[in-house]
């Protein structure tokens, strides 16, 4: 095991739930004398057939509270849009980003659960992920794209064209204890 | 026609799209010597089979910009929840309130298009409409009910238990021209 640990970054070696992790063909490539692994590529997808434990691992990495897997599954099923970001190298594929949106399919969409693995932050990938969300929603003729931003990411979304409290409109949340 | 105009309030007489408006049985009742019309009742419904022209008329009454009927139809179809409020008197039924919510069916719901006819405002009916929305969403185990409130109705929603910008979370809207 230490052989593999040395070959891969810690974040990759702990990825136990991605497709085709450490399979035979990868071993052959890495065993080749001096053969370099194929260059990594990062890509976006709308395929919502996601390993939910891998998604949980991603959300753990940014410190989100855990949510029941069955509820996450249902929420993804009933989202209008799901965008995932992957890092792929040879046969290794790792989920590094995620975002989804609810919508009435016409006027409004609301973006939820935007997450990018800390190892890949501050490289423009979060912007690429959100730009894909915006492009996908616009291509489906959604007029109004909304979200609720934590204070520390308001600037990030402003750079993407989101305005906080436009015309004094307030985002509001209902709480059972109110 | 002036006979009918005198018998009904202007708001009812201009309601041309509701079900069973001014039909024979109502005429008979009203023609009866001194027979009073049945008392009006106001009720809520989740039936989303709405006359979209009647809904447009309601939205016109509060000064909203018109939207294509086909898009309104699609938005209603793809809403998680629709609540309507009706005033019924005898065979006359009039749409006086409307609200809908998008949702991932699990974690989040966002309430859109809350409208109450001006003739029926300031009577507690808007509160009843929204309380029904909240109750319906809660009964379906939605954790997080959100909305975007115009400045003049922030206080209304606060009374219902909605908090603006909780923990500094900002509602944000994307605009194409940003």
């Amino acid at each position: 095991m230490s052989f593999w640990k040395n070959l891969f970054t810690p974040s990759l070696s702990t990825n136990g739930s991605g497709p085709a992790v450490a399979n035979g063909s990868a071993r052959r490539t890495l065993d080749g004398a001096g053969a370099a692994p194929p260059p990594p590529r990062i890509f976006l997808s709308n395929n919502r057939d996601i390993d939910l434990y891998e998604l949980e691992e991603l959300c753990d990495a940014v410190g989100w509270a855990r949510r029941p897997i069955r509820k996450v599954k249902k929420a993804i099923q009933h989202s209008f849009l799901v965008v995932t970001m992957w890092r792929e190298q040879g046969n290794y594929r790792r989920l590094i980003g995620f975002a989804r949106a609810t919508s009435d399919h016409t006027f409004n969409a609301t973006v939820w659960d935007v997450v990018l693995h800390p190892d890949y932050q501050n490289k423009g990938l979060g912007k690429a992920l959100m730009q894909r969300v915006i492009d996908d929603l616009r291509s489906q003729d959604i007029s109004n794209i909304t979200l609720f931003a934590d204070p520390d990411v308001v600037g990030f979304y402003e750079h993407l064209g989101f305005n906080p409290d436009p015309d004094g409109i307030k985002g509001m949340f209902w709480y059972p204890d109110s």
Side-chain angles (χ1 to χ4, degrees), chain A:
Chain A
M1 278 304 291
S2 62
F3 169 76
W4 292 104
K5 275 192 182 164
N6 290 336
L7 272 176
F8 295 98
T9 65
S11 54
L12 275 170
S13 69
T14 57
N15 178 1
S17 56
V21 174
N23 67 8
S25 66
R27 179 184 290 268
R28 276 194 300 279
T29 303
L30 291 160
D31 281 348
R41 71 176 187 116
I42 287 174
F43 66 96
L44 292 156
S45 171
N46 293 115
N47 185 345
R48 60 184 73 196
D49 185 17
I50 306 161
D51 181 324
L52 297 176
Y53 292 95
E54 191 174 8
L55 178 59
E56 185 173 71
E57 193 176 40
L58 173 61
C59 296
D60 284 351
V62 294
W64 287 2
R66 284 211 170 175
R67 300 183 291 187
I69 292 277
R70 69 171 175 80
K71 289 194 130 201
V72 173
K73 182 179 180 180
K74 189 175 176 186
I76 288 173
Q77 279 173 340
H78 293 284
S79 291
F80 176 63
L81 175 72
V82 172
V83 175
T84 48
M85 182 175 267
W86 302 84
R87 182 186 191 275
E88 188 179 59
Q89 189 165 26
N91 289 306
Y92 294 80
R93 188 178 294 175
R94 180 190 187 197
L95 179 69
I96 63 169
F98 178 89
R100 66 185 177 91
T102 50
S103 179
D104 56 21
H105 298 209
T106 310
F107 296 118
N108 307 298
T110 309
V111 183
W112 304 98
D113 296 348
V114 180
V115 55
L116 183 67
H117 193 283
D119 291 351
Y120 300 91
Q121 291 179 10
N122 304 311
K123 301 173 197 294
L125 295 177
K127 186 179 174 182
L129 175 69
M130 274 305 299
Q131 194 59 56
R132 169 67 171 257
V133 170
I134 294 166
D135 292 346
D136 284 352
L137 293 173
R138 292 295 295 170
S139 74
Q140 294 183 73
D141 210 23
I142 301 293
S143 324
N144 185 32
I145 306 175
T146 64
L147 53 79
F148 297 96
D150 283 324
D152 57 329
V153 288
V154 167
F156 167 74
Y157 288 114
E158 280 182 316
H159 279 113
L160 282 156
F162 286 86
N163 295 343
D165 299 346
D167 301 320
I169 294 171
K170 277 282 171 203
M172 302 186 79
F173 285 61
W174 185 83
Y175 289 106
D177 299 334
S178 297

